[in-house]
Amino acid sequence: MLKPLYDHVVLEPEKEENKTKSGIILTAKDNERPQMAKVTAVGPGKEGNALSVKVGDKVVFKAYATTEITFDDKKYLILKESDILAIVEGA
Amino acid sequence: MLKPLYDHVVLEPEKEENKTKSGIILTAKDNERPQMAKVTAVGPGKEGNALSVKVGDKVVFKAYATTEITFDDKKYLILKESDILAIVEGA
Amino acid sequence: MLKPLYDHVVLEPEKEENKTKSGIILTAKDNERPQMAKVTAVGPGKEGNALSVKVGDKVVFKAYATTEITFDDKKYLILKESDILAIVEGA
Amino acid sequence: MLKPLYDHVVLEPEKEENKTKSGIILTAKDNERPQMAKVTAVGPGKEGNALSVKVGDKVVFKAYATTEITFDDKKYLILKESDILAIVEGA
Amino acid sequence: MLKPLYDHVVLEPEKEENKTKSGIILTAKDNERPQMAKVTAVGPGKEGNALSVKVGDKVVFKAYATTEITFDDKKYLILKESDILAIVEGA
Amino acid sequence: MLKPLYDHVVLEPEKEENKTKSGIILTAKDNERPQMAKVTAVGPGKEGNALSVKVGDKVVFKAYATTEITFDDKKYLILKESDILAIVEGA
Amino acid sequence: MLKPLYDHVVLEPEKEENKTKSGIILTAKDNERPQMAKVTAVGPGKEGNALSVKVGDKVVFKAYATTEITFDDKKYLILKESDILAIVEGA
């Protein structure tokens, strides 16, 4: 299990990465990598401020700001919450 | 639905992107991409400061500062409010 | 109408751009673009500080710091007040 | 023995670097170097804030942010705690 | 007349630019442009701090930090006071 | 004698630079220069904070952050304390 | 005479630049220019903090951070005090 430090967030990319259930296609102009993923762990926050995202949220984020790791055969992305742009509701 | 975090703002480019109803042509010297769009969602603000723009505002902004995503077959731009330059009234 | 946000300022370049009424020629060494323009709108300021320039001021500024937009067939420049160097009086 | 200063942390890469006991493979997209290591020493903290990681923690981190040294024939990595992304539990 | 904003200073390069009355030669290694000029206008200061230089001071400054403008057929340099290195006395 | 200012520290590289008494080999991946040296002088600190290292400490540091000078036929390195990573004990 | 502003310091390179009286050779790895000079003027300080160096001090400094000017046929270097590394005593 990954326990992020401070304001870091762990994301798990969607299985069918570029498509949401409702058929939404998410693409990023800069590198064509999908930018939507599900939050799987959030850090405790920084300087007493808790984070705004929670486990289970679907989020869009700046793809270039992530560190990609493979853990237990799954890919995860870790980034700071400030690089998350928005929560996707109804996805 | 996209719910922006903190001081992020979601914009929807105009259908006829380079022309407003009154025939205004908006061009950006640096990359020739249109720079006017309509605000469709605003974040809650940052450090207790609410944002100045509101849903429905037409705004001009720094094109290079945006992240472009496709969601439900529509294009959206997400940026920080500090990269919005002005609200266009009467457009 | 352009309503600048925070510390942004909207400028309208002079019609005969490189010459003022008194025949002043303003040139910028770095890119040879004129650097004088008239203030047409000022933002409300930032963190409670009102801006120093006012509508109608002729100003000189750092040309590379501006965003150029075309609006109602006129060219405008938008920049932060901190990129305005001086007010030109008697121009 | 290495006694890190302020917010520095000393890490010892895993013997079988790319595999954890449970067969986890950790790879970093940017330079393909493993990104998991064990904390062997932590600094006293900075400006009165103790660090969040402790000796024995398995951590993932930004590989490019480390200084690699060889000491007593073992390789160590030194980095600031802010470049550690998450603690790996159950690894 | 140029009225500098905040901590900006307007300089007028010396007529015989590289020589002072006493025959001082001022050269700048980085771009061989003269670095001495006379202060012709000072801004009101920034955040309540008045500037240290006054009109008439001869100053040496970082040449690369200036914006050069031509106004009423004279060349002027505008820079922030923090890019002025020293006042030249007895020049 | 070198008296460092503020938070600067003067280091003297070990005679047999890459080996400590116990045969420790210290190498730096980035430029292959040894990274261990002995503190010979410490500055008074900055903003009322005394430094953490003291004369005689063996330290590892970021090699690229040093200024190398030759003084009385000996080589010294000067750097800010924040570029020292750890104290080496038992070396 | 050069009167430095704020935290600037004026230095006069030694006549026999690379050698001190005691035969000390000072060289800088990065650009091979001598790095020792004598303080000839100090600014009043910045934000109420007086400077630590005084006129007559021999100092070593970061060569790349200086502005070189020729004044009354002598070469001087001007830099911020924060780019002075140490005072050389007994030189």
Side-chain angles (χ1 to χ4, degrees), chain A residues 7-69:
Chain A
D7 57 341
H8 287 103
V9 173
V10 181
L11 306 176
E12 185 180 2
E14 296 285 283
K15 279 243 162 66
E16 302 185 17
E17 289 188 354
N18 284 336
K19 290 211 171 182
T20 64
K21 285 169 200 165
S22 55
I24 292 159
I25 299 171
L26 282 159
T27 56
K29 190 190 45 147
D30 54 351
N31 57 5
E32 305 304 325
R33 286 197 295 147
Q35 281 180 301
M36 193 167 92
K38 197 171 67 183
V39 174
T40 63
V42 300
K46 205 173 157 181
E47 290 157 22
N49 299 310
L51 301 192
S52 293
V53 295
K54 55 185 191 308
V55 173
D57 281 349
K58 302 280 179 70
V59 295
V60 287
F61 53 93
K62 295 184 191 165
Y64 68 80
T66 60
T67 298
E68 185 180 324
I69 64 163

Side-chain angles (χ1 to χ4, degrees), chain F residues 16-82:
Chain F
E16 301 185 19
E17 289 188 353
N18 283 336
K19 289 211 171 181
T20 63
K21 287 169 199 165
S22 56
I24 292 158
I25 298 171
L26 283 160
T27 56
K29 191 190 45 149
D30 54 350
N31 58 5
E32 305 305 323
R33 286 196 296 148
Q35 280 180 302
M36 192 168 94
K38 197 171 69 184
V39 174
T40 64
V42 301
K46 205 173 158 181
E47 290 157 23
N49 298 311
L51 301 191
S52 292
V53 295
K54 55 184 191 309
V55 172
D57 281 349
K58 303 278 179 69
V59 295
V60 288
F61 53 93
K62 294 184 192 166
Y64 69 80
T66 60
T67 298
E68 185 180 324
I69 64 162
T70 302
F71 181 75
D72 270 344
D73 284 336
K74 283 204 232 171
K75 276 190 187 174
Y76 292 93
L77 302 166
I78 305 181
L79 79 178
K80 286 178 181 257
E81 195 199 33
S82 56

Side-chain angles (χ1 to χ4, degrees), chain C residues 39-58:
Chain C
V39 174
T40 64
V42 301
K46 206 174 157 180
E47 290 156 23
N49 299 310
L51 301 193
S52 293
V53 295
K54 55 186 191 308
V55 172
D57 281 349
K58 302 278 179 71

Side-chain angles (χ1 to χ4, degrees), chain B residues 22 24 36 58-60 86-91, chain C residues 1-4 10 40-42 55 69 71-72 76 78:
Chain B
S22 55
I24 291 159
M36 195 167 92
K58 302 279 180 70
V59 294
V60 287
I87 296 170
V88 183
E89 298 201 328
Chain C
M1 201 188 107
L2 291 165
K3 267 185 59 184
V10 181
T40 64
V42 301
V55 172
I69 63 162
F71 180 75
D72 268 343
Y76 293 93
I78 305 181

Side-chain angles (χ1 to χ4, degrees), chain D residues 5-50:
Chain D
L5 289 182
Y6 300 104
D7 57 341
H8 287 103
V9 173
V10 181
L11 306 176
E12 185 180 3
E14 296 285 284
K15 280 240 161 69
E16 301 185 18
E17 289 188 353
N18 283 336
K19 290 210 171 181
T20 64
K21 286 169 200 166
S22 56
I24 292 158
I25 299 171
L26 283 159
T27 55
K29 190 189 45 149
D30 54 352
N31 57 6
E32 305 305 324
R33 286 196 296 147
Q35 281 180 302
M36 193 167 93
K38 197 171 67 183
V39 174
T40 63
V42 300
K46 206 173 157 181
E47 290 158 23
N49 299 310

